[in-house]
PDB file of all heavy atoms in Angstrom:
ATOM      1  N   PRO A1516      29.623   9.967  39.673  1.00 90.00           N
ATOM      2  CA  PRO A1516      29.874  10.751  38.448  1.00 90.00           C
ATOM      3  C   PRO A1516      29.206  10.170  37.206  1.00 90.00           C
ATOM      4  O   PRO A1516      28.687  10.913  36.364  1.00 90.00           O
ATOM      5  CB  PRO A1516      31.400  10.721  38.322  1.00 90.00           C
ATOM      6  CG  PRO A1516      31.897  10.485  39.697  1.00 90.00           C
ATOM      7  CD  PRO A1516      30.879   9.592  40.342  1.00 90.00           C
ATOM      8  N   VAL A1517      29.204   8.843  37.089  1.00 88.00           N
ATOM      9  CA  VAL A1517      28.556   8.211  35.936  1.00 88.00           C
ATOM     10  C   VAL A1517      27.047   8.440  35.990  1.00 88.00           C
ATOM     11  O   VAL A1517      26.405   8.703  34.960  1.00 88.00           O
ATOM     12  CB  VAL A1517      28.882   6.704  35.893  1.00 88.00           C
ATOM     13  CG1 VAL A1517      28.011   5.992  34.862  1.00 88.00           C
ATOM     14  CG2 VAL A1517      30.350   6.484  35.581  1.00 88.00           C
ATOM     15  N   ALA A1518      26.471   8.367  37.172  1.00 89.00           N
ATOM     16  CA  ALA A1518      25.039   8.612  37.318  1.00 89.00           C
ATOM     17  C   ALA A1518      24.684  10.036  36.913  1.00 89.00           C
ATOM     18  O   ALA A1518      23.644  10.278  36.284  1.00 89.00           O
ATOM     19  CB  ALA A1518      24.610   8.330  38.747  1.00 89.00           C
ATOM     20  N   GLN A1519      25.544  10.991  37.257  1.00 88.00           N
ATOM     21  CA  GLN A1519      25.299  12.377  36.874  1.00 88.00           C
ATOM     22  C   GLN A1519      25.331  12.559  35.360  1.00 88.00           C
ATOM     23  O   GLN A1519      24.508  13.290  34.793  1.00 88.00           O
ATOM     24  CB  GLN A1519      26.325  13.281  37.547  1.00 88.00           C
ATOM     25  CG  GLN A1519      26.165  13.385  39.057  1.00 88.00           C
ATOM     26  CD  GLN A1519      27.256  14.212  39.711  1.00 88.00           C
ATOM     27  OE1 GLN A1519      28.278  14.515  39.082  1.00 88.00           O
ATOM     28  NE2 GLN A1519      27.059  14.587  40.970  1.00 88.00           N
ATOM     29  N   LEU A1520      26.279  11.893  34.697  1.00 88.00           N
ATOM     30  CA  LEU A1520      26.355  11.974  33.231  1.00 88.00           C
ATOM     31  C   LEU A1520      25.121  11.357  32.583  1.00 88.00           C
ATOM     32  O   LEU A1520      24.577  11.894  31.611  1.00 88.00           O
ATOM     33  CB  LEU A1520      27.618  11.274  32.733  1.00 88.00           C
ATOM     34  CG  LEU A1520      28.950  11.967  33.019  1.00 88.00           C
ATOM     35  CD1 LEU A1520      30.120  11.075  32.611  1.00 88.00           C
ATOM     36  CD2 LEU A1520      29.026  13.302  32.277  1.00 88.00           C
ATOM     37  N   ALA A1521      24.668  10.221  33.115  1.00 86.00           N
ATOM     38  CA  ALA A1521      23.487   9.557  32.553  1.00 86.00           C
ATOM     39  C   ALA A1521      22.232  10.382  32.791  1.00 86.00           C
ATOM     40  O   ALA A1521      21.376  10.520  31.909  1.00 86.00           O
ATOM     41  CB  ALA A1521      23.334   8.168  33.150  1.00 86.00           C
ATOM     42  N   ASN A1522      22.112  10.965  33.979  1.00 86.00           N
ATOM     43  CA  ASN A1522      20.924  11.754  34.306  1.00 86.00           C
ATOM     44  C   ASN A1522      20.848  13.055  33.513  1.00 86.00           C
ATOM     45  O   ASN A1522      19.780  13.662  33.404  1.00 86.00           O
ATOM     46  CB  ASN A1522      20.906  12.067  35.805  1.00 86.00           C
ATOM     47  CG  ASN A1522      20.718  10.819  36.649  1.00 86.00           C
ATOM     48  OD1 ASN A1522      20.200   9.808  36.168  1.00 86.00           O
ATOM     49  ND2 ASN A1522      21.157  10.869  37.895  1.00 86.00           N
ATOM     50  N   ALA A1523      21.978  13.483  32.965  1.00 85.00           N
ATOM     51  CA  ALA A1523      21.995  14.707  32.159  1.00 85.00           C
ATOM     52  C   ALA A1523      21.439  14.469  30.757  1.00 85.00           C
ATOM     53  O   ALA A1523      21.178  15.425  30.018  1.00 85.00           O
ATOM     54  CB  ALA A1523      23.416  15.261  32.070  1.00 85.00           C
ATOM     55  N   GLN A1524      21.243  13.202  30.378  1.00 83.00           N
ATOM     56  CA  GLN A1524      20.729  12.867  29.059  1.00 83.00           C
ATOM     57  C   GLN A1524      19.204  12.806  29.087  1.00 83.00           C
ATOM     58  O   GLN A1524      18.591  12.544  30.125  1.00 83.00           O
ATOM     59  CB  GLN A1524      21.296  11.520  28.579  1.00 83.00           C
ATOM     60  CG  GLN A1524      22.811  11.420  28.672  1.00 83.00           C
ATOM     61  CD  GLN A1524      23.522  12.494  27.882  1.00 83.00           C
ATOM     62  OE1 GLN A1524      23.146  12.791  26.752  1.00 83.00           O
ATOM     63  NE2 GLN A1524      24.557  13.076  28.474  1.00 83.00           N
ATOM     64  N   LYS A1525      18.581  13.036  27.926  1.00 79.00           N
ATOM     65  CA  LYS A1525      17.125  12.993  27.832  1.00 79.00           C
ATOM     66  C   LYS A1525      16.631  11.551  27.909  1.00 79.00           C
ATOM     67  O   LYS A1525      17.261  10.637  27.388  1.00 79.00           O
ATOM     68  CB  LYS A1525      16.662  13.624  26.522  1.00 79.00           C
ATOM     69  CG  LYS A1525      16.955  15.114  26.424  1.00 79.00           C
ATOM     70  CD  LYS A1525      16.424  15.692  25.130  1.00 79.00           C
ATOM     71  CE  LYS A1525      16.686  17.199  25.046  1.00 79.00           C
ATOM     72  NZ  LYS A1525      16.187  17.778  23.788  1.00 79.00           N
ATOM     73  N   GLY A1526      15.507  11.370  28.557  1.00 76.00           N
ATOM     74  CA  GLY A1526      14.895  10.053  28.633  1.00 76.00           C
ATOM     75  C   GLY A1526      15.699   9.057  29.433  1.00 76.00           C
ATOM     76  O   GLY A1526      15.571   7.844  29.217  1.00 76.00           O
ATOM     77  N   HIS A1527      16.528   9.517  30.353  1.00 80.00           N
ATOM     78  CA  HIS A1527      17.382   8.603  31.116  1.00 80.00           C
ATOM     79  C   HIS A1527      16.536   7.762  32.072  1.00 80.00           C
ATOM     80  O   HIS A1527      15.546   8.218  32.646  1.00 80.00           O
ATOM     81  CB  HIS A1527      18.446   9.386  31.889  1.00 80.00           C
ATOM     82  CG  HIS A1527      17.873  10.347  32.893  1.00 80.00           C
ATOM     83  ND1 HIS A1527      17.512   9.985  34.174  1.00 80.00           N
ATOM     84  CD2 HIS A1527      17.569  11.658  32.800  1.00 80.00           C
ATOM     85  CE1 HIS A1527      17.035  11.014  34.828  1.00 80.00           C
ATOM     86  NE2 HIS A1527      17.058  12.060  34.001  1.00 80.00           N
TER      87      HIS A1527
END
Side-chain angles (χ1 to χ4, degrees):
V1517 169
Q1519 291 176 347
L1520 289 173
N1522 293 338
Q1524 309 302 317
K1525 294 182 179 179
H1527 61 85

